[in-house]
């Protein structure tokens, strides 16, 4: 009798960040719940991008960690794509009056509670992994969340500023203040070459039955995860099939500004372009399979030519059930 017949869910690891990552992770939990068997928290591990983290007004922000935590807890602001549902901005107004923080960057009152709790724990000596473990006990998330690394590896964007020439700025300034309109020349995570995967990350990948790469921004969400020394090699050596889901549908980004990021690193905004960026494990990449949207069905042969198994599916994550369907398709492609 196989695992599926015994009601044992597969051990699934998802690499994720941002809004696309949150929707996909909620779908992954639902896909595992549909199978019944073990509690998904023991079977679903999410390795979360921490490349867009920052210190602001004395607190540590972890936007992707929080987006995914809030989405799994069902307390996220799904219209905005970040922060807490029904949040208010009284403290933010005070911070602005004190002239601290960034006038273009909003810290909601409930969200600030998260940042204060996290910063307090970090100041007490907890690692980001331990902090996330503590945060996760507040809600029944149905997944284990791990930061990609415990090191601080914020993303710095070098932009081509028509007024000031080439200059570096924090990713969050580029993303939220400039809405990615200043042409990016490079994305760097200073210190990432000395970072290590957070405890449990390499082990989870090694012990997984399937590893899924969420349809997150390939450059600023998945890119930093793959750049942590040890994660790429863990993906290349795991016995588990590694299946990615294209964040590009019909040659366009679903939301966000991945097209601008891809152009900066010389990658075409297409399902084939991103597949080529991640690469096949048969060459020197990390993927075995690649799910592409119905709209991109014509690209399947080109993807197979890269050494990947291509599967064509509806990829719009319009609700939790559709996201779970996509995860099921990815798991089927992984053979679990
Ligand atoms: N995005 C915005 O567009 N404007 C904001 O003021 C803003 C505040 C903010 C505060 C906390 C947080 O965790 C995320 C926040 N975001 C905001 C989202 C964030 O900039 C990005 O969408 C992600 O970093 C990209 O994944």
């Amino acid at each position: 009798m196989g695992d599926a017949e015994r009601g044992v869910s597969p051990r699934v690891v998802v690499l994720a960040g941002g809004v696309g990552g949150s929707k996909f992770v909620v779908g992954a939990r639902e896909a595992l719940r549909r199978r019944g068997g073990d509690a998904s928290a023991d079977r679903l591990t999410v390795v979360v991008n921490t490349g867009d983290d920052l210190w602001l007004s004395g607190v540590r922000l972890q936007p992707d960690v929080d987006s995914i935590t809030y989405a799994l807890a069902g307390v996220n602001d799904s219209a905005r794509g970040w922060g807490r549902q029904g949040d208010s901005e009284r403290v933010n107004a005070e911070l602005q009056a004190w002239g601290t923080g960034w006038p273009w960057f909003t810290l909601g009152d409930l969200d600030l509670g998260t940042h204060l709790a996290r910063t307090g724990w970090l100041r007490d000596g907890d690692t980001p992994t331990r902090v996330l473990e503590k945060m996760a006990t507040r809600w029944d998330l149905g997944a284990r969340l791990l930061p990609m690394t415990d090191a601080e590896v914020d993303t710095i964007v070098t932009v081509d500023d028509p007024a000031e020439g080439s200059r570096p700025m924090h990713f969050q300034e580029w993303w939220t203040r400039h809405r990615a309109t200043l042409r990016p020349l490079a994305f760097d995570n200073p210190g990432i070459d000395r970072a290590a995967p957070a405890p449990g990350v390499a082990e989870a990948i090694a012990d997984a039955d399937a590893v899924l790469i969420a349809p997150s921004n390939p450059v600023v969400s998945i890119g930093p995860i793959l750049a942590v020394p040890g994660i790429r090699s863990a993906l290349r050596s795991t016995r588990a099939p590694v299946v990615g889901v294209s964040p590009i549908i019909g040659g366009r980004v679903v939301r966000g500004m991945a097209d601008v990021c891809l152009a900066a690193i010389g990658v075409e905004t297409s399902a084939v372009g991103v597949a080529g960026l991640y690469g096949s494990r048969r060459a020197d990449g990390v993927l075995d399979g690649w799910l592409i949207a119905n709209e991109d069905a014509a690209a399947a042969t080109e993807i197979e030519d890269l050494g990947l198994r291509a599967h064509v599916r509806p990829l719009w994550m319009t609700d939790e059930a559709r996201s779970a369907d996509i995860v099921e398709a990815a798991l089927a492609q992984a053979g679990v």
Side-chain angles (χ1 to χ4, degrees):
M1 200 171 27
D3 277 358
E5 289 145 311
R6 279 198 301 271
V8 179
S9 334
R11 282 161 302 187
V12 178
V13 172
V14 179
L15 311 189
V19 179
S22 312
K23 290 184 174 185
F24 189 77
V25 165
V26 169
R29 177 180 63 185
E30 173 58 16
L32 290 185
R33 283 183 177 161
R34 282 179 186 172
R35 292 181 176 218
D38 312 340
S40 59
D42 302 332
R43 313 299 284 182
L44 175 61
T45 299
V46 185
V47 178
V48 186
N49 171 44
T50 58
D52 49 10
D53 295 4
L54 72 159
W55 285 98
L56 192 68
S57 299
V59 291
R60 186 71 177 157
L61 309 188
Q62 294 200 292
D64 283 4
V65 163
D66 291 348
S67 294
I68 291 174
T69 305
Y70 294 160
L72 285 169
V75 299
N76 59 314
D77 183 330
S78 53
R80 240 176 8 177
W82 51 271
R84 292 278 296 270
Q85 206 176 81
D87 211 344
S88 47
E89 294 169 13
R90 292 192 68 194
V91 180
N92 194 64
E94 276 299 291
L95 292 172
Q96 311 267 318
W98 287 116
T100 176
W102 285 332
W104 63 87
F105 200 80
T106 308
L107 297 176
D109 294 333
L110 299 176
D111 197 30
L112 260 165
T114 306
H115 310 320
L116 286 169
R118 171 168 41 234
T119 305
W121 286 322
L122 289 171
R123 289 271 153 83
D124 290 346
D126 282 332
T127 60
T129 302
R130 177 71 189 123
V131 168
L132 190 43
E133 205 174 279
K134 283 183 169 174
M135 283 172 59
T137 59
R138 177 164 172 195
W139 293 290
D140 179 17
L141 299 182
R144 178 169 66 129
L145 303 191
L146 298 174
M148 66 187 198
T149 179
D150 278 339
E152 286 185 13
V153 290
D154 308 12
T155 301
I156 304 299
V157 189
T158 304
V159 299
D160 179 14
D161 185 339
E164 297 177 42
S166 150
R167 65 186 177 99
M169 66 175 64
H170 193 281
F171 165 77
Q172 291 294 348
E173 181 178 358
W174 177 70
W175 190 256
T176 61
R177 181 185 189 183
H178 299 287
R179 297 275 152 214
T181 52
L182 290 176
R183 191 167 70 89
L185 301 172
F187 296 91
D188 294 299
N189 301 101
I192 204 160
D193 47 332
R194 294 184 304 280
V201 169
E203 296 79 353
I205 294 171
D207 295 344
D209 296 309
V211 179
L212 307 182
I213 301 187
S216 303
N217 186 313
V219 183
V220 296
S221 292
I222 302 299
I225 301 178
L226 298 180
V228 175
I231 294 192
R232 179 177 281 273
S233 54
L235 291 169
R236 285 186 53 72
S237 60
T238 180
R239 282 187 308 272
V242 181
V243 176
V245 178
S246 174
I248 308 296
I249 299 185
R252 301 168 73 97
V253 291
V254 173
R255 67 178 286 164
M257 298 163 273
D259 45 351
V260 183
C261 303
L262 286 165
I265 62 163
V267 173
E268 182 187 86
T269 300
S270 69
V272 180
V274 180
L277 174 66
Y278 294 156
S280 163
R281 287 211 292 181
R282 286 203 234 152
D284 57 0
V286 296
L287 288 175
D288 298 305
W290 189 233
L291 249 61
I292 60 172
N294 291 341
E295 292 86 334
D296 298 304
T301 320
E302 242 183 298
I303 286 160
E304 305 256 339
D305 288 346
L306 293 170
L308 297 171
R309 275 176 288 118
H311 279 243
V312 182
R313 286 281 183 286
L315 289 190
W316 292 101
M317 295 192 288
T318 42
D319 57 26
E320 185 174 322
R322 297 292 85 70
S323 302
D325 293 344
I326 296 165
V327 173
E328 279 191 358
L331 293 177
Q333 200 189 20
V336 296

